[in-house]
């Protein structure tokens, strides 16, 4: 049962994640949607009964909640402040929720600026990828003042299986970057493990069966390898460039806190090298495995070879 929320909502950023999230959010809300690609916004409007905005220059005055699912902090800052900017148009007492994976320092500053305008600001990034966005089972980690987080909760519940309040503004985004660095480390470590296993005559699928019944398992071994890597489809819907953005944010957190994290930093460097090697313009993050295949000459996908052509 969806509790109707006061005022209308505006969902900005309708890509791989934003589109299914907007679909799950729409019931019970008067919803406006916007994307830089007007065809995408029109399609989501048609699917949800929402109204697509042609631009962000005249946001309806009764919009009280804005949800952002945008690629990065520069774009979030642009949308919130430039020409003429979402924040300048929102009424006192409105709420902005940034659900993308942004930079904690930028988020902290935006939350401070919004607070000075009487607008609540919450960072609520998500984990679980496109699959969990579709089934509304995202893991949501929330940063913000307690009162703002309380207001945000009813907007998050329709999208996630879990909502964890992490701490002050920016802490949700810090937690997200760190989680993704650990996740990328697991992805890389599994590729290295499978590479050695194949050298010992153990097929990748067989080694994964062992790992997934043993203590080495992770979401990478349980989901990414069987669904997106062994199949050779590399279709998780999470771009390698977005993953690298997260890894670079996490590296900044490691540096700024003078933390000891050699294993995590090695995983980031490996992912960076993989990105430089990959020949496709927009590789999926699971294509990290292609880097290992290329270097070792040992295929890690079913019985396919390491060669792959791209349209
Ligand atoms: P995406 O590239 O598929 O979608 C981004 C959307 O934002 C696009 O539709 C694009 O047209 C739109 N956009 C770009 N600039 C805009 C602007 N100025 N105004 C309005 N719309 C604009 O990205 P995604 O995979 O949906 O990821 C979105 C965010 O969620 C990122 O921060 C990403 O790191 C994070 N994230 C992604 C995943 C995943 O599995 N894909 C998982 C968790 C978190």
């Amino acid at each position: 049962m969806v509790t109707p929320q006061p005022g209308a909502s505006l969902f900005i950023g309708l890509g791989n994640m934003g589109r299914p999230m907007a679909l799950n959010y729409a019931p019970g809300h008067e919803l406006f949607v916007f994307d830089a690609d007007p065809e995408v916004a029109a399609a989501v409007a048609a699917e949800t009964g929402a109204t697509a905005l042609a631009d962000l220059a005249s946001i309806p005055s009764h919009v009280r909640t804005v949800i952002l699912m945008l690629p990065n902090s520069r774009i979030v800052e642009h949308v919130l402040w430039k020409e003429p900017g979402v924040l300048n148009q929102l009424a006192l007492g409105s709420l902005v929720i940034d659900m993308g994976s942004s930079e904690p320092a930028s988020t902290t500053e935006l939350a401070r600026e919004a607070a000075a305008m009487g607008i609540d600001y919450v960072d609520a990034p998500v984990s679980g990828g496109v699959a969990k966005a579709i089934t509304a089972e995202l893991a949501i980690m929330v940063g913000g003042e307690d009162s703002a987080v309380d207001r945000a909760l009813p907007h998050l519940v329709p999208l996630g299986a879990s909502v964890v309040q992490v701490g002050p503004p920016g802490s949700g985004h810090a937690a997200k970057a760190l989680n993704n660095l650990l996740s990328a480390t697991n992805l890389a470590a599994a590729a290295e493990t499978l590479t050695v296993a194949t050298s010992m005559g153990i097929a990748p699928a067989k080694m994964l069966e062992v790992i997934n019944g043993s203590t080495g398992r992770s979401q990478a071994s349980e989901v990414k390898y069987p669904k997106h890597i062994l199949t050779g489809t590399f279709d998780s819907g999470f771009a390698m460039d977005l993953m690298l953005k997260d890894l670079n944010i996490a590296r900044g957190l490691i540096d700024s806190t003078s933390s000891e994290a050699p294993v995590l930093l090695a995983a980031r460097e490996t992912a960076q090298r993989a990105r430089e090697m990959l020949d496709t313009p927009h590789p999926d993050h699971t294509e990290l495995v292609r880097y290992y295949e290329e270097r070792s000459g040992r295929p890690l996908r079913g019985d396919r070879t390491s060669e792959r052509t791209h349209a």
Side-chain angles (χ1 to χ4, degrees), residues 14-300:
L14 305 165
N16 288 334
M17 294 294 288
R19 182 177 184 143
M21 289 166 67
L23 257 57
N24 290 325
Y25 180 80
H29 296 101
E30 182 188 354
L31 183 63
F32 295 88
V33 293
F34 177 75
D35 192 278
D37 182 339
E39 284 182 19
V40 168
V44 173
E47 279 176 283
T48 58
T51 303
L53 298 183
D55 55 49
L56 290 176
S58 44
I59 295 171
S61 59
H62 63 301
V63 165
R64 291 288 178 276
T65 305
V66 176
I67 298 178
L68 308 172
M69 198 55 186
L70 293 162
N72 59 51
S73 285
R74 298 296 83 73
I75 293 176
V76 169
E77 290 158 3
H78 182 86
V79 162
L80 291 180
W81 278 124
K82 299 274 160 41
E83 302 162 10
V86 168
L87 287 176
N88 284 320
Q89 298 176 68
L90 289 180
L92 193 75
S94 296
L95 168 68
V96 175
I97 309 175
D98 180 5
M99 300 196 74
S101 307
S102 304
E103 297 164 23
S106 166
T107 303
T108 308
E109 179 62 11
L110 288 170
R112 194 189 59 73
E113 291 165 347
M117 301 168 81
I119 295 169
D120 281 326
Y121 197 97
V122 164
D123 44 309
V126 305
S127 182
V130 174
K132 300 288 184 186
I134 291 171
T135 57
E137 293 178 300
L138 291 165
I140 307 177
M141 48 217 96
V142 190
E145 303 300 338
D146 286 349
S147 57
V149 173
D150 289 346
R151 286 185 66 195
L153 281 178
H155 299 279
L156 303 177
V157 166
L159 304 175
S162 71
V163 181
V164 177
Q165 186 175 357
V166 185
S171 62
H173 281 148
K176 171 63 188 171
L178 291 170
N179 174 76
N180 274 23
L181 181 51
L182 178 57
S183 176
T185 306
N186 290 339
L187 183 67
E192 293 174 14
T193 304
L194 295 187
T195 302
V196 181
T198 57
S199 308
M200 299 299 295
I202 306 169
K206 194 52 74 182
M207 189 64 209
L208 275 173
E209 200 181 325
V210 170
I211 293 170
N212 288 335
S214 307
T215 50
R217 68 182 179 274
S218 65
Q219 192 267 357
S221 68
E222 289 182 328
V223 178
K224 290 177 184 172
Y225 277 85
K227 280 183 77 174
H228 308 296
I229 296 170
L230 290 199
T231 54
T233 50
F234 300 113
D235 57 352
S236 79
F238 182 40
M240 184 174 279
D241 289 338
L242 287 177
M243 181 182 83
L244 275 171
K245 171 199 66 175
D246 295 337
L247 304 193
N248 287 328
I249 293 171
R251 178 179 61 175
L253 299 178
I254 291 167
D255 289 348
S256 66
T257 55
S258 304
S259 301
E260 195 64 27
V263 175
L264 295 172
L265 289 172
R268 191 213 69 84
E269 281 159 28
T270 304
Q272 182 65 51
R273 280 199 297 276
R275 178 66 188 94
E276 284 154 18
M277 182 221 88
L278 288 170
D279 46 5
T280 42
H282 305 292
D284 192 80
H285 79 292
T286 53
E287 291 187 63
L288 175 67
V289 168
R290 290 182 56 219
Y291 168 78
Y292 284 102
E293 290 180 323
E294 188 79 21
R295 285 178 64 91
S296 69
R298 296 180 192 283
L300 297 180

